[in-house]
Amino acid sequence: NAGVMQNPRHLVRRRGQEARLRCSPMKGHSHVYWYRQLPEEGLKFMVYLQKENIIDESGMPKERFSAEFPKEGPSILRIQQVVRGDSAAYFCASSPLERGFGQFFGPGTRLTVL
Amino acid sequence: GENVEQHPSTLSVQEGDSAVIKCTYSDSASNYFPWYKQELGKRPQLIIDIRSNVGEKKDQRIAVTLNKTAKHFSLHITETQPEDSAVYFCAAGGGATNKLIFGTGTLLAVQP
């Protein structure tokens, strides 16, 4: 059973470009969470999704950021018109359970905005 | 809002000694408390978790204790080894919320 997969592992974008981050949950997991980690800081919750539904997006900036988890395919975190402050590691986690229980993390995508 | 405080921020111990990391949480509805270990440049790994219906859980050299009244929970690592060196994060969740709130992390250094 493969773990949580994320790609790309590293992403470099120039200011104003779009960043698209992908997350494939573990087999059998229908709950996906996205977190942002700034250098030498903790993990900040962004959004929680189930298949085709956004359940909780209270941690996600209202502008430029969006997330989806379609019926088929990976979950996508999309950042439009990136700025230098978006540079961070973005982790997704998946779980077979709701309410945050039992989350397993992917390897992360390290986004660098030039 | 919801908050998790974690102490200490750094901890250095000698190999073989014990290490204790403490967290407090603010949301009294929280009922799930996992601990994650993150090595440099790697993903956070779930090492142990506890639900509020128990006060203590142990897995080999690691244990977690929970005091719901005081809203405290702690990670205990015994017989530390150099490979235990990492950043450890506590988190609180469950209850009425769908998310985990993470502490700010503890950098544990085990000196050989």
Side-chain angles (χ1 to χ4, degrees):
Chain A
N1 186 7
V4 180
M5 309 287 284
Q6 285 187 253
N7 68 80
R9 297 290 306 276
H10 300 274
L11 182 61
V12 179
R13 286 286 179 265
R14 296 193 181 278
R15 282 179 295 171
Q17 291 184 319
E18 178 181 288
R20 194 172 288 227
L21 288 60
R22 296 175 186 78
C23 170
S24 296
M26 287 177 70
K27 188 176 180 181
H29 289 193
S30 59
H31 303 264
V32 168
Y33 305 79
W34 285 93
Y35 295 87
R36 178 162 64 179
Q37 186 174 40
L38 293 170
E40 299 185 8
E41 290 192 11
L43 295 143
K44 302 294 185 187
F45 168 81
M46 297 182 74
V47 61
Y48 162 42
L49 309 103
Q50 292 180 30
K51 281 286 186 182
E52 299 185 275
N53 289 303
I54 298 174
I55 307 301
D56 184 345
E57 56 183 348
S58 59
M60 201 155 67
K62 292 192 177 357
E63 296 182 356
R64 303 189 298 107
F65 285 73
S66 62
E68 62 178 16
F69 189 13
K71 187 177 180 181
E72 301 291 338
S75 176
I76 307 285
L77 179 67
R78 185 176 172 213
I79 311 173
Q80 295 178 292
Q81 299 176 330
V82 296
V83 301
R84 290 224 172 103
D86 296 332
S87 295
Y90 291 84
F91 289 95
C92 82
S94 75
S95 169
L97 305 168
E98 59 182 5
R99 300 206 178 281
F101 296 143
Q103 296 183 33
F104 292 89
F105 281 77
T109 295
R110 280 151 185 83
L111 172 65
T112 302
V113 179
L114 301 177
Chain B
E2 305 134 331
N3 187 46
V4 175
E5 293 189 2
Q6 183 171 348
H7 299 282
S9 56
T10 59
L11 178 60
S12 181
V13 299
Q14 291 295 124
E15 183 176 359
D17 287 349
S18 295
V20 180
I21 302 170
K22 300 182 179 182
C23 289
T24 59
Y25 59 98
S26 61
D27 184 359
S28 56
S30 297
N31 60 7
Y32 175 63
F33 307 93
W35 286 87
Y36 286 84
K37 174 185 179 183
Q38 187 177 29
E39 297 175 22
L40 187 63
K42 301 285 183 65
R43 75 184 76 192
Q45 289 186 296
L46 178 65
I47 57 172
I48 194 167
D49 56 11
I50 190 169
R51 300 204 186 190
S52 58
N53 56 346
V54 297
E56 184 173 355
K57 184 176 177 181
K58 192 173 181 180
D59 183 2
Q60 299 183 336
R61 295 187 298 108
I62 59 173
V64 56
T65 58
L66 171 65
N67 182 330
K68 279 218 77 178
T69 303
K71 293 192 278 187
H72 289 170
F73 59 112
S74 300
L75 178 71
H76 304 252
I77 306 174
T78 59
E79 300 173 26
T80 53
Q81 301 167 4
E83 51 265 40
D84 294 329
S85 297
V87 178
Y88 290 81
F89 291 99
C90 64
T97 184
N98 295 295
K99 58 194 178 191
L100 290 178
I101 304 299
F102 280 82
T104 47
T106 296
L107 175 60
L108 173 65
V110 180
Q111 309 296 333

